[in-house]
Amino acid sequence: MSKHVVVIGGGVAGLEAAGRLSKVGFEVSLLEKEDKTGGHLNNWYKLFPDRRSSSEVNEYLDRISINGQVKLLTNTTIEKFSRNKTNLTILTNNGEELVADAVIVATGFDLFKSSRKEEYGYGIYDNVITSAELEEMFWKNNIALVNGKEPEKIGIVHCVGSRDEKVGNLYCSKLCCVTAVKQAIEIREYLPESKVFCFYMDMRMGGAYYEELYREAQEKWGVSFIRGKVSEAGESFDNKLVIKVEDTLAGRPLKMELDMLVLMAGMEMSEGGKKIAALGGLNTGENKFFAAADHHFGSNVSNVEGVFYAGTCTAPMNITETISHARAAVSEVMEYLKDDRK
Amino acid sequence: MGKFGFTISKGRQIDYDSNDRSIAAYIFEREPSFRLCIECGGCSATCTTGNLTKFSLRELNILIKRGENDQVRESIGKCMLCGKCTLVCPRGVNTRNIVSLAKKAFQLTDGYAI
Ligand SMILES: Cc1cc2nc3c(=O)[nH]c(=O)nc-3n(C[C@H](O)[C@H](O)[C@H](O)COP(=O)(O)OP(=O)(O)OC[C@H]3O[C@@H](n4cnc5c(N)ncnc54)[C@H](O)[C@@H]3O)c2cc1C
Ligand code: SF4
Ligand code: SF4
Ligand code: SF4
């Protein structure tokens, strides 16, 4: 009889893991709390570093999971999660009981809620938006202010909700610098007359072809980079946004009027993940993400036997890393279930 | 040619080995958060004094750490100790206490208050 693996969360990580597992012959149930799979990928328009369409990655993920005959349960979350002697029992919100030989948790991340950084005026001023909302505008092929006009001067604020003791997140979300660069290029491409300014503390371009994209933003698109943490955003009499920052390289405070401000919201442990952690007694770290058994050689392994992790529920990752991590989780499950050792 | 370049840059160099970093050491010991500054400029952007006159707490931090004490002496008196900067610092640096401690340290070495 083939063994049953339950994957919780149908984002990039969950789809990749579920698809691969079913390809190698496991019976797989994939639980997704929303009405469709894809997770955050559904929100992004074009992807860094090569700016391909996100739909291509989504199609790949659908192909691998559907071909593999994964049993997909959408609108499904978990009410109970317990480890028994030889298996794990999961009770869904729809009253279904699933008995699993192994579980992969792939509950992903939540975007930092930008209203928590009150000083940036998100939710107060009309044209302060998040990186995710800018992606929505790209999807609609319409980058516009609330009054319908095209923005001429756009500021991008790095590190919103990351590297910030004030909101309790000490870590770097790792992807928002390159997202800022990618989005700056896309804005310039869409609005050739516009001016784009990135306000950063450090440019963290540690991924394949990230630094090249940064160079392209400077060279080809004339994006300006100003080193300083924006301390606050306000509004002028004529409804322009005004930001305050120290241009730390010039050593002087700088004031600038902008039409639009885009906040690079960071990644946090998802609420869905927190719930699973509480239900299943899974350890979380100081950064609130799931704490894997070992940083170097156990990044898929949890503190509960038979439960493994895949993707950004353990740390910020890009899609490439998420897919690799999911495959590694599959290999852990295969080894764990390879014989009837129990 | 090479020699020429060396002579002009000399006067502007931070002479790290000879500089007196005892003020920094005094602060490190009493306010460990001083080590956490990443020079982001959040404090100096929000500082009222810094927006009106040539004064930057961020710059002050680095000058103290490098032992460029004369420059620090020149500007530290401008801080009003209002604490606005502490509210924005992403690294939780106790900025106000750094200024107070620096002033105290200068008083101990110089023999008079700034
Ligand atoms: C602004 C931004 C732009 C980005 N752009 C790119 C890019 O261009 N290129 C790139 O490589 N990477 C990009 N990334 C990173 C990329 O989004 C992630 O690598 C990827 O989405 C991670 O997939 P995941 O499956 O781990 O998490 P998620 O996408 O968060 O998926 C998790 C899934 O689990 C579900 N779930 C959560 N809790 C439960 C629960 N309790 N029960 C059931 N289901 C649950 C969620 O509904 C969701 O569908 C970007 C990230 C951000 C923040
Ligand atoms: S990746 Fe860049 S913007 Fe994101 S948290 Fe790290 S330094 Fe800040
Ligand atoms: S405490 Fe000093 S440095 Fe900080 S904001 Fe007030 S005047 Fe500026
Ligand atoms: S806000 Fe904090 S970390 Fe940033 S320069 Fe000022 S003291 Fe340093």
Side-chain angles (χ1 to χ4, degrees), chain A residues 183-200:
Chain A
Q183 294 193 331
I185 292 175
E186 287 170 299
I187 294 171
R188 291 281 297 116
E189 208 170 23
Y190 188 84
L191 302 170
E193 303 300 316
S194 65
K195 289 193 163 51
V196 182
F197 303 85
C198 287
F199 297 94
Y200 70 96

PDB file of all heavy atoms in Angstrom, chain A residues 183-200:
ATOM      1  N   GLN A 183      11.294  46.560  -9.736  1.00  0.00           N
ATOM      2  CA  GLN A 183      10.120  47.418  -9.878  1.00  0.00           C
ATOM      3  C   GLN A 183      10.501  48.808 -10.400  1.00  0.00           C
ATOM      4  O   GLN A 183       9.751  49.414 -11.169  1.00  0.00           O
ATOM      5  CB  GLN A 183       9.370  47.506  -8.546  1.00  0.00           C
ATOM      6  CG  GLN A 183       8.780  46.158  -8.137  1.00  0.00           C
ATOM      7  CD  GLN A 183       7.777  46.249  -7.000  1.00  0.00           C
ATOM      8  OE1 GLN A 183       7.862  47.152  -6.156  1.00  0.00           O
ATOM      9  NE2 GLN A 183       6.848  45.314  -6.938  1.00  0.00           N
ATOM     10  N   ALA A 184      11.672  49.289  -9.981  1.00  0.00           N
ATOM     11  CA  ALA A 184      12.136  50.595 -10.470  1.00  0.00           C
ATOM     12  C   ALA A 184      12.288  50.547 -11.990  1.00  0.00           C
ATOM     13  O   ALA A 184      11.864  51.457 -12.705  1.00  0.00           O
ATOM     14  CB  ALA A 184      13.463  50.966  -9.805  1.00  0.00           C
ATOM     15  N   ILE A 185      12.867  49.463 -12.473  1.00  0.00           N
ATOM     16  CA  ILE A 185      13.044  49.300 -13.924  1.00  0.00           C
ATOM     17  C   ILE A 185      11.683  49.251 -14.613  1.00  0.00           C
ATOM     18  O   ILE A 185      11.452  49.923 -15.628  1.00  0.00           O
ATOM     19  CB  ILE A 185      13.841  48.010 -14.237  1.00  0.00           C
ATOM     20  CG1 ILE A 185      15.289  48.158 -13.764  1.00  0.00           C
ATOM     21  CG2 ILE A 185      13.779  47.671 -15.725  1.00  0.00           C
ATOM     22  CD1 ILE A 185      16.141  46.902 -13.925  1.00  0.00           C
ATOM     23  N   GLU A 186      10.771  48.480 -14.034  1.00  0.00           N
ATOM     24  CA  GLU A 186       9.450  48.339 -14.661  1.00  0.00           C
ATOM     25  C   GLU A 186       8.692  49.668 -14.706  1.00  0.00           C
ATOM     26  O   GLU A 186       8.015  49.974 -15.685  1.00  0.00           O
ATOM     27  CB  GLU A 186       8.623  47.280 -13.913  1.00  0.00           C
ATOM     28  CG  GLU A 186       9.109  45.862 -14.184  1.00  0.00           C
ATOM     29  CD  GLU A 186       8.454  44.830 -13.278  1.00  0.00           C
ATOM     30  OE1 GLU A 186       8.630  44.931 -12.042  1.00  0.00           O
ATOM     31  OE2 GLU A 186       7.769  43.936 -13.790  1.00  0.00           O
ATOM     32  N   ILE A 187       8.838  50.456 -13.648  1.00  0.00           N
ATOM     33  CA  ILE A 187       8.171  51.770 -13.639  1.00  0.00           C
ATOM     34  C   ILE A 187       8.753  52.639 -14.757  1.00  0.00           C
ATOM     35  O   ILE A 187       8.033  53.252 -15.528  1.00  0.00           O
ATOM     36  CB  ILE A 187       8.360  52.490 -12.277  1.00  0.00           C
ATOM     37  CG1 ILE A 187       7.635  51.747 -11.151  1.00  0.00           C
ATOM     38  CG2 ILE A 187       7.830  53.939 -12.358  1.00  0.00           C
ATOM     39  CD1 ILE A 187       7.957  52.275  -9.757  1.00  0.00           C
ATOM     40  N   ARG A 188      10.083  52.639 -14.847  1.00  0.00           N
ATOM     41  CA  ARG A 188      10.746  53.466 -15.860  1.00  0.00           C
ATOM     42  C   ARG A 188      10.373  53.021 -17.264  1.00  0.00           C
ATOM     43  O   ARG A 188      10.267  53.822 -18.183  1.00  0.00           O
ATOM     44  CB  ARG A 188      12.268  53.421 -15.658  1.00  0.00           C
ATOM     45  CG  ARG A 188      12.736  54.125 -14.392  1.00  0.00           C
ATOM     46  CD  ARG A 188      12.782  55.635 -14.581  1.00  0.00           C
ATOM     47  NE  ARG A 188      13.754  56.003 -15.596  1.00  0.00           N
ATOM     48  CZ  ARG A 188      13.473  56.586 -16.754  1.00  0.00           C
ATOM     49  NH1 ARG A 188      12.222  56.889 -17.048  1.00  0.00           N
ATOM     50  NH2 ARG A 188      14.414  56.865 -17.626  1.00  0.00           N
ATOM     51  N   GLU A 189      10.198  51.737 -17.416  1.00  0.00           N
ATOM     52  CA  GLU A 189       9.834  51.190 -18.710  1.00  0.00           C
ATOM     53  C   GLU A 189       8.408  51.623 -19.078  1.00  0.00           C
ATOM     54  O   GLU A 189       8.140  52.033 -20.200  1.00  0.00           O
ATOM     55  CB  GLU A 189       9.871  49.664 -18.600  1.00  0.00           C
ATOM     56  CG  GLU A 189      10.174  48.922 -19.850  1.00  0.00           C
ATOM     57  CD  GLU A 189      10.412  47.436 -19.532  1.00  0.00           C
ATOM     58  OE1 GLU A 189       9.931  46.939 -18.490  1.00  0.00           O
ATOM     59  OE2 GLU A 189      11.069  46.784 -20.330  1.00  0.00           O
ATOM     60  N   TYR A 190       7.533  51.537 -18.088  1.00  0.00           N
ATOM     61  CA  TYR A 190       6.127  51.857 -18.324  1.00  0.00           C
ATOM     62  C   TYR A 190       5.912  53.364 -18.444  1.00  0.00           C
ATOM     63  O   TYR A 190       5.099  53.831 -19.228  1.00  0.00           O
ATOM     64  CB  TYR A 190       5.292  51.282 -17.182  1.00  0.00           C
ATOM     65  CG  TYR A 190       3.800  51.373 -17.411  1.00  0.00           C
ATOM     66  CD1 TYR A 190       3.138  50.390 -18.156  1.00  0.00           C
ATOM     67  CD2 TYR A 190       3.060  52.435 -16.903  1.00  0.00           C
ATOM     68  CE1 TYR A 190       1.774  50.473 -18.380  1.00  0.00           C
ATOM     69  CE2 TYR A 190       1.696  52.534 -17.127  1.00  0.00           C
ATOM     70  CZ  TYR A 190       1.054  51.547 -17.865  1.00  0.00           C
ATOM     71  OH  TYR A 190      -0.291  51.634 -18.083  1.00  0.00           O
ATOM     72  N   LEU A 191       6.627  54.113 -17.605  1.00  0.00           N
ATOM     73  CA  LEU A 191       6.498  55.579 -17.610  1.00  0.00           C
ATOM     74  C   LEU A 191       7.858  56.191 -17.938  1.00  0.00           C
ATOM     75  O   LEU A 191       8.606  56.586 -17.034  1.00  0.00           O
ATOM     76  CB  LEU A 191       6.030  56.079 -16.230  1.00  0.00           C
ATOM     77  CG  LEU A 191       4.713  55.547 -15.672  1.00  0.00           C
ATOM     78  CD1 LEU A 191       4.556  55.971 -14.217  1.00  0.00           C
ATOM     79  CD2 LEU A 191       3.537  56.056 -16.502  1.00  0.00           C
ATOM     80  N   PRO A 192       8.190  56.283 -19.206  1.00  0.00           N
ATOM     81  CA  PRO A 192       9.546  56.724 -19.590  1.00  0.00           C
ATOM     82  C   PRO A 192       9.904  58.128 -19.094  1.00  0.00           C
ATOM     83  O   PRO A 192      11.080  58.458 -18.967  1.00  0.00           O
ATOM     84  CB  PRO A 192       9.511  56.689 -21.119  1.00  0.00           C
ATOM     85  CG  PRO A 192       8.347  55.826 -21.479  1.00  0.00           C
ATOM     86  CD  PRO A 192       7.358  55.964 -20.377  1.00  0.00           C
ATOM     87  N   GLU A 193       8.894  58.927 -18.801  1.00  0.00           N
ATOM     88  CA  GLU A 193       9.174  60.290 -18.332  1.00  0.00           C
ATOM     89  C   GLU A 193       9.393  60.358 -16.820  1.00  0.00           C
ATOM     90  O   GLU A 193       9.728  61.408 -16.292  1.00  0.00           O
ATOM     91  CB  GLU A 193       8.008  61.235 -18.698  1.00  0.00           C
ATOM     92  CG  GLU A 193       7.667  61.286 -20.181  1.00  0.00           C
ATOM     93  CD  GLU A 193       8.851  61.771 -21.012  1.00  0.00           C
ATOM     94  OE1 GLU A 193       9.499  62.749 -20.587  1.00  0.00           O
ATOM     95  OE2 GLU A 193       9.136  61.146 -22.061  1.00  0.00           O
ATOM     96  N   SER A 194       9.148  59.258 -16.149  1.00  0.00           N
ATOM     97  CA  SER A 194       9.177  59.308 -14.681  1.00  0.00           C
ATOM     98  C   SER A 194      10.602  59.294 -14.135  1.00  0.00           C
ATOM     99  O   SER A 194      11.556  58.922 -14.827  1.00  0.00           O
ATOM    100  CB  SER A 194       8.414  58.114 -14.119  1.00  0.00           C
ATOM    101  OG  SER A 194       9.091  56.921 -14.458  1.00  0.00           O
ATOM    102  N   LYS A 195      10.700  59.698 -12.847  1.00  0.00           N
ATOM    103  CA  LYS A 195      11.973  59.611 -12.146  1.00  0.00           C
ATOM    104  C   LYS A 195      11.759  58.691 -10.948  1.00  0.00           C
ATOM    105  O   LYS A 195      10.768  58.818 -10.236  1.00  0.00           O
ATOM    106  CB  LYS A 195      12.397  60.995 -11.648  1.00  0.00           C
ATOM    107  CG  LYS A 195      12.817  61.917 -12.791  1.00  0.00           C
ATOM    108  CD  LYS A 195      13.528  63.157 -12.243  1.00  0.00           C
ATOM    109  CE  LYS A 195      14.305  63.882 -13.327  1.00  0.00           C
ATOM    110  NZ  LYS A 195      13.480  64.167 -14.527  1.00  0.00           N
ATOM    111  N   VAL A 196      12.703  57.784 -10.750  1.00  0.00           N
ATOM    112  CA  VAL A 196      12.549  56.825  -9.662  1.00  0.00           C
ATOM    113  C   VAL A 196      13.764  56.892  -8.725  1.00  0.00           C
ATOM    114  O   VAL A 196      14.910  56.921  -9.180  1.00  0.00           O
ATOM    115  CB  VAL A 196      12.367  55.384 -10.196  1.00  0.00           C
ATOM    116  CG1 VAL A 196      12.152  54.406  -9.049  1.00  0.00           C
ATOM    117  CG2 VAL A 196      11.189  55.306 -11.166  1.00  0.00           C
ATOM    118  N   PHE A 197      13.472  56.921  -7.429  1.00  0.00           N
ATOM    119  CA  PHE A 197      14.509  57.015  -6.402  1.00  0.00           C
ATOM    120  C   PHE A 197      14.373  55.863  -5.418  1.00  0.00           C
ATOM    121  O   PHE A 197      13.293  55.661  -4.858  1.00  0.00           O
ATOM    122  CB  PHE A 197      14.364  58.331  -5.622  1.00  0.00           C
ATOM    123  CG  PHE A 197      14.413  59.545  -6.516  1.00  0.00           C
ATOM    124  CD1 PHE A 197      13.260  60.002  -7.150  1.00  0.00           C
ATOM    125  CD2 PHE A 197      15.613  60.211  -6.735  1.00  0.00           C
ATOM    126  CE1 PHE A 197      13.291  61.111  -7.983  1.00  0.00           C
ATOM    127  CE2 PHE A 197      15.660  61.321  -7.571  1.00  0.00           C
ATOM    128  CZ  PHE A 197      14.505  61.777  -8.203  1.00  0.00           C
ATOM    129  N   CYS A 198      15.443  55.141  -5.205  1.00  0.00           N
ATOM    130  CA  CYS A 198      15.422  54.076  -4.199  1.00  0.00           C
ATOM    131  C   CYS A 198      16.160  54.559  -2.954  1.00  0.00           C
ATOM    132  O   CYS A 198      17.304  55.014  -3.050  1.00  0.00           O
ATOM    133  CB  CYS A 198      16.127  52.826  -4.724  1.00  0.00           C
ATOM    134  SG  CYS A 198      15.189  51.955  -5.972  1.00  0.00           S
ATOM    135  N   PHE A 199      15.494  54.463  -1.812  1.00  0.00           N
ATOM    136  CA  PHE A 199      16.110  54.849  -0.543  1.00  0.00           C
ATOM    137  C   PHE A 199      16.476  53.585   0.218  1.00  0.00           C
ATOM    138  O   PHE A 199      15.598  52.843   0.653  1.00  0.00           O
ATOM    139  CB  PHE A 199      15.145  55.722   0.269  1.00  0.00           C
ATOM    140  CG  PHE A 199      14.824  57.016  -0.430  1.00  0.00           C
ATOM    141  CD1 PHE A 199      13.703  57.130  -1.239  1.00  0.00           C
ATOM    142  CD2 PHE A 199      15.668  58.110  -0.312  1.00  0.00           C
ATOM    143  CE1 PHE A 199      13.414  58.316  -1.906  1.00  0.00           C
ATOM    144  CE2 PHE A 199      15.396  59.307  -0.978  1.00  0.00           C
ATOM    145  CZ  PHE A 199      14.265  59.412  -1.781  1.00  0.00           C
ATOM    146  N   TYR A 200      17.748  53.344   0.357  1.00  0.00           N
ATOM    147  CA  TYR A 200      18.214  52.070   0.913  1.00  0.00           C
ATOM    148  C   TYR A 200      19.177  52.288   2.073  1.00  0.00           C
ATOM    149  O   TYR A 200      19.759  53.366   2.209  1.00  0.00           O
ATOM    150  CB  TYR A 200      18.918  51.275  -0.198  1.00  0.00           C
ATOM    151  CG  TYR A 200      20.244  51.893  -0.614  1.00  0.00           C
ATOM    152  CD1 TYR A 200      21.447  51.430  -0.073  1.00  0.00           C
ATOM    153  CD2 TYR A 200      20.291  52.965  -1.501  1.00  0.00           C
ATOM    154  CE1 TYR A 200      22.657  52.015  -0.435  1.00  0.00           C
ATOM    155  CE2 TYR A 200      21.497  53.551  -1.859  1.00  0.00           C
ATOM    156  CZ  TYR A 200      22.683  53.071  -1.318  1.00  0.00           C
ATOM    157  OH  TYR A 200      23.867  53.656  -1.664  1.00  0.00           O
TER     158      TYR A 200
END
